[in-house]
Amino acid sequence: MNLSPPAAAAFRAHEPFLRALLYRLTGSPADAEDLVQETFGRLLADPPPDLEAPLRPWLTRVAVNLGRDLLRRRRREGYVGPWLPGPIETEALGPCAGDRYEVLESCTFAFLLALEALSPKQRAVLLLRDVFDHAVRETAEVLSISEADVKTTLHRARRAMAAYDRGRPTRAGLGARQLAALQRFLAAVRSGDGAAAAAALAEDAVLVNDGGGDFVAARLPVVGRDPVARFYLGLAKMALPYAMEPRVLNGMPALVARWPDAPPPHAPLLVIRCEVDDTDRIRAIHAIAATRKLAALQPPADGPQSTRWNS
C-alpha cells in the first residue's frame, strides 16, 4: 500500500492496536491483516471529515465494522469441517489494556473458541470493554449503538462466557504441562503403544482437525479416548514423515510440524496443540492445517529440537 507521509505515520501508530483487536475479533491472523489493510484503504479513499480529531476512534469504528461483517459472512457461508483459530506467534499478539482478560489469555485457543458462542456484536462489545478497556461511551461510539445497548450486550456476552470463566485455569506451569502431555501422547503413538496412548487421554477427549478443505482432515470432531487414540495410531502406521518442533504460539506451547514434499492431500505444514485436565490428561487436541491460517508462521527448521513423526 502506497501511503502519503501523514497516512504512513498514522499506519505505524495505529497498526499494532488494530491488528491486535482484529485478530481477537476474527480469530484469524490472515483475516486480521486483510482488514487492517482495508481499514487504511478506507482512510485514504474516504477520510474522516475532521482531520484534527484523534484518528484512532475513527479507525477502530471502521475496523470493527469490517470485522463484524466478516463474522456474519463466515457464519452465513459456512466452513469446510470444524473451525479453529489461526495460530499466531506470541510476539505478534499485540497490545491490549483490559483488566478482566490479560493480553496472553485473550489470545489463547480456549478464549478464542469461547468467543465463538457470541454474536458478532457481543464479541465486539466484550473485546472492547473487557480486553481493550474501552469505556461504555467509547464502545457505544465505535459501534454506533446506545450506552444502554452496550451495557445489555456486555451482560449477555459475559453470561455466554460464564462456562469459560468458571473453568479458567491457573496459567502458572500450564504450558509445560500441555507440552509434556502432548509429547507423551505422540511418543506412545509413534511407538505403537495403544495402551499408553489411551492412558495419556481423558475419557472424554476430543480431536478437532481444521484442514479448511485444503487437505485431508476429519470433517467432524473425533470424540472419546479410544477413538482419538485409534485415529492417531492409524496415522502412525502410514509413517508420515513430519518433522516436529516445539514452539510458543498464542502464548502457549504447540508443535509445528513440517513435511515440505508432502503429496496431496497431505498438509506440508501443521500445528498441533492440546488442552489438559487437572490430572494432566489430554482433553482436547487441535490440529490446524488450513493454508490461510498458517500463512504467517515461519516453518520449523530441522535441528536438535526437532523430532520426527515416524522416528
Side-chain angles (χ1 to χ4, degrees):
M1 180 186 298
N2 295 319
L3 299 176
S4 66
F11 186 90
R12 288 192 299 271
H14 301 295
E15 179 189 22
F17 165 76
L18 293 175
R19 182 174 286 105
L21 171 60
L22 288 167
Y23 173 67
R24 291 163 175 84
L25 185 61
T26 66
S28 166
D31 287 340
E33 177 63 29
D34 287 350
L35 294 180
V36 168
Q37 299 298 323
E38 188 172 351
T39 298
F40 279 95
R42 299 281 182 95
L43 173 63
L44 295 179
D46 188 18
D50 184 1
L51 296 178
E52 299 299 320
L55 187 57
R56 180 166 291 189
W58 186 90
L59 292 171
T60 303
R61 183 180 307 113
V62 172
V64 169
N65 284 333
L66 291 172
R68 291 170 66 192
D69 288 344
L70 183 145
L71 291 175
R72 294 188 192 101
R73 287 196 305 273
R74 180 194 293 169
R75 295 185 178 188
R76 183 172 62 248
E77 296 169 1
Y79 189 76
V80 179
W83 182 93
L84 288 171
I88 190 170
E89 306 282 357
T90 298
E91 58 269 21
L93 292 176
C96 61
D99 58 4
R100 187 178 180 93
Y101 303 112
E102 49 93 20
V103 60
L104 289 182
E105 181 183 4
S106 66
C107 277
T108 62
F109 267 59
F111 183 81
L112 294 172
L113 287 170
L115 290 181
E116 287 295 296
L118 308 184
S119 70
K121 184 169 80 168
Q122 289 172 345
R123 189 163 179 156
V125 168
L126 183 120
L127 288 173
L128 290 170
R129 292 284 290 120
D130 288 348
V131 175
F132 291 90
D133 205 28
H134 277 49
V136 172
R137 178 176 295 180
E138 289 178 287
T139 303
E141 290 173 353
V142 165
L143 298 176
S144 299
I145 60 178
S146 69
E147 293 184 26
D149 196 0
V150 168
K151 294 175 182 178
T152 299
T153 302
L154 181 61
H155 175 74
R156 291 172 178 166
R158 286 177 174 174
R159 186 170 59 194
M161 293 286 285
Y164 167 82
D165 288 335
R166 286 193 301 270
R168 289 166 73 177
T170 302
R171 292 182 55 83
L174 179 60
R177 291 166 49 210
Q178 289 181 348
L179 181 60
L182 187 57
Q183 290 177 323
R184 184 166 58 248
F185 171 69
L186 292 178
V189 168
R190 284 197 302 269
S191 67
D193 188 339
L201 299 170
E203 184 176 353
D204 58 350
V206 59
L207 164 64
V208 180
N209 281 289
D210 183 346
D214 299 333
F215 306 105
V216 62
R219 294 292 181 91
L220 294 173
V222 180
V223 181
R225 171 186 291 154
D226 292 336
V228 172
R230 285 197 301 269
F231 182 91
Y232 271 95
L233 289 164
L235 288 180
K237 290 178 181 178
M238 298 172 64
L240 304 179
Y242 282 103
M244 295 190 181
E245 179 188 56
R247 296 266 281 276
V248 178
L249 303 173
N250 297 74
M252 301 299 285
L255 293 175
V256 180
R258 181 173 59 123
W259 183 4
D261 301 321
H266 298 294
L269 189 64
L270 180 71
V271 169
I272 306 172
R273 59 156 326 267
C274 76
E275 302 284 348
V276 296
D277 63 16
D278 292 339
T279 67
D280 287 348
R281 288 183 173 85
I282 294 173
R283 58 182 177 86
I285 297 176
H286 299 139
I288 307 99
T291 302
R292 180 171 171 80
K293 291 187 177 180
L294 303 183
L297 292 185
Q298 294 296 320
D302 288 316
Q305 290 187 327
S306 295
T307 59
R308 301 198 72 83
W309 171 261
N310 62 343
S311 59

